[in-house]
Amino acid sequence: MKTVFRNKKISGLLSVLPALSVKFEDEIDSYTFPAKQSLRLQKVMGFKQHSIVKENTSTSDLCIAGIKYIIDNGWLSKDDIGGIVVACSYPDHFIPPVSTIIQGKLGFSEDVFCVDTSQGCVGFLMALNQGFMLLEHMSDKKVLVIAADVLSKKVSKQDRNSYPLIGDAAGIAIIENCEEDTSIYSAVYTNGAMGKALIIPAGGSRLPSSQQTSELKDYENDGNLRSLDNLTMNGTEVFNFVQTKVPPMIDEIIEYAGTTKEDIHKYIFHQPNKFMLKKLSEKIGVPYDKVPMNVVEEFGNSSGACIPVCATFNTAKELKTENHKYCLSAFGSGLTWAAMVLDIGELDFCEMLVSDC
């Protein structure tokens, strides 16, 4: 799907990270590999530390902490909100949705439109698409667009391929209609036939969780222990998918937007790891300094929240004071890949909040 949204804008951006940050070296003994081998992998992949929530923290806790912070700072009032769109892959419960939990706990009006979308890596862009469509039916109301996950709870701590990568976070954007002549160009694609490359096999109706699905095993004979209740990723398939599908999509969305790669000020991408982002930058043909790629080493890959985390960590100052053309792109579970070209800046707020979650 390709489309353009007109007379709409992002007016505020916040990322919410848990206070607990664990260094890669402190988890080396959890893996079945020699420490020296793990440290060599750390250098290649850019692992340093990752932010993870407490045992009793859920996805909605990060979201609520962030929204309270926004309201307490006077950047938003409850009466401003007409919709809440939440993208996540590990909600608090199967039922009720995270968006309704947020609406209830924060006391938003009963006529606020609440919707969840089951999305991982592309969550923020999918939620933005849904939020912009929702704005078509609102005049002066704003929409809270949220991508959040606490996937550290669904990855085996003995899986060196995945656990060091994973971080927990929430990304929150306020979007609204505007009088300015704006155009936001969007593209979204999906290949569900490749979905098993990034999957949590058990826990749903296809394979309910049981004592058997919780057993840790070396399923791939690669030294990593995980259960069927854990996230599993075919790294080779995902890498090839990103390198094959994302570059032509970036070319396509830039042409669709009537601009050039040189005119894009920053490329804010999903953050799988530094190695993959370097290869992607080379494939696209843009310099490294236009593609921030330091999120995994500092906070971990926070699934759909990566784009807000990346923006608030790397470009917050300029986003509050200047206006630039950005290209946003995400890719992963689904398998789904998406991109957006938009002018963004002079935001009411653009911050990173560390919450005691």
Side-chain angles (χ1 to χ4, degrees):
M1 182 192 84
K2 282 194 302 186
T3 192
V4 56
F5 301 103
R6 303 194 189 279
N7 305 109
K8 293 166 180 56
K9 68 178 182 179
I10 296 174
S11 55
L13 200 58
L14 179 77
S15 63
V16 186
L17 290 146
L20 179 60
S21 182
V22 182
K23 294 187 179 298
F24 180 83
E25 292 88 344
D26 294 338
E27 296 174 329
I28 283 181
D29 291 340
S30 298
Y31 309 128
T32 62
F33 304 91
K36 286 185 177 180
Q37 185 187 103
S38 295
L39 289 172
R40 285 197 297 270
L41 179 70
Q42 176 191 29
K43 186 175 181 180
V44 173
M45 303 301 286
F47 299 153
K48 181 181 174 184
Q49 58 198 18
H50 57 161
S51 299
I52 56 177
V53 294
K54 297 175 182 177
E55 186 176 349
N56 62 345
T57 297
S58 66
T59 299
S60 71
D61 294 327
L62 289 173
C63 304
I64 290 169
I67 297 168
K68 282 183 176 178
Y69 181 77
I70 292 170
I71 293 172
D72 289 346
N73 276 280
W75 296 322
L76 181 75
S77 74
K78 293 181 182 180
D79 292 337
D80 292 333
I81 295 301
I84 303 171
V85 181
V86 175
C88 67
S89 53
Y90 189 38
D92 298 27
H93 315 281
F94 285 136
I95 299 172
V98 174
S99 56
T100 63
I101 294 172
I102 293 169
Q103 182 271 345
K105 287 191 175 181
L106 291 178
F108 286 112
S109 169
E110 290 183 353
D111 69 353
V112 169
F113 186 92
C114 297
V115 62
D116 281 21
T117 178
S118 178
Q119 286 289 335
C121 309
V122 188
F124 184 65
L125 293 186
M126 294 292 277
L128 276 179
N129 274 275
Q130 290 183 310
F132 288 138
M133 287 187 276
L134 187 56
L135 283 175
E136 292 289 337
H137 305 279
M138 298 183 179
S139 54
D140 59 342
K141 293 291 186 179
K142 303 176 183 180
V143 175
L144 278 169
V145 169
I146 303 167
D149 260 316
V150 290
L151 282 175
S152 66
K153 296 185 174 190
K154 294 302 289 182
V155 181
S156 168
K157 293 182 179 180
Q158 294 179 270
D159 183 352
R160 196 190 62 179
N161 281 358
S162 298
Y163 192 69
L165 288 169
I166 294 298
D168 300 323
I172 303 170
I174 295 176
I175 63 172
E176 58 187 279
N177 292 307
C178 62
E179 295 181 356
E180 296 89 346
D181 184 18
T182 62
S183 297
I184 298 171
Y185 300 89
S186 175
V188 181
Y189 297 101
T190 298
N191 183 346
M194 296 181 67
K196 289 185 178 180
L198 192 55
I199 188 173
I200 299 175
S205 60
R206 174 65 62 190
L207 181 62
S209 291
S210 64
Q211 183 177 348
Q212 288 72 33
T213 66
S214 68
E215 294 176 2
L216 291 172
K217 297 180 181 179
D218 185 357
Y219 285 96
E220 306 296 329
N221 295 316
D222 60 359
N224 291 290
L225 302 179
R226 65 178 73 89
S227 76
L228 294 175
D229 290 319
N230 294 140
L231 179 108
T232 180
M233 176 177 64
N234 186 318
T236 300
E237 282 193 18
V238 172
F239 178 83
N240 291 336
F241 148 72
V242 172
Q243 300 299 314
T244 303
K245 295 294 187 179
V246 176
M249 177 185 61
I250 299 297
D251 289 340
E252 179 185 35
I253 195 68
I254 288 175
E255 181 181 358
Y256 184 52
T259 188
T260 66
K261 290 179 182 178
E262 292 72 24
D263 288 335
I264 301 293
H265 181 68
K266 281 286 190 289
Y267 294 81
I268 306 296
F269 287 171
H270 174 62
Q271 301 281 305
N273 58 66
K274 182 179 285 188
F275 175 78
M276 190 179 293
L277 287 170
K278 281 185 174 181
K279 293 298 182 184
L280 183 58
S281 176
E282 293 165 5
K283 192 89 170 180
I284 293 170
V286 296
Y288 290 162
D289 61 2
K290 281 195 170 188
V291 187
M293 51 185 76
N294 53 1
V295 168
V296 165
E297 63 189 273
E298 296 294 337
F299 312 109
N301 172 352
S302 51
S303 189
C306 276
I307 287 176
V309 171
C310 184
T312 54
F313 183 59
N314 289 287
T315 62
K317 184 177 180 180
E318 70 177 39
L319 283 173
K320 287 189 285 188
T321 58
E322 305 167 8
N323 198 294
H324 292 288
K325 195 175 296 294
Y326 274 37
C327 177
L328 314 179
S329 183
F331 29 85
S333 57
L335 293 178
T336 305
W337 59 109
M340 199 172 273
V341 170
L342 73 166
D343 292 315
I344 182 172
E346 299 178 357
L347 301 182
D348 296 335
F349 61 93
C350 186
E351 294 194 13
M352 177 176 283
L353 170 67
V354 176
S355 172
D356 187 26
C357 286

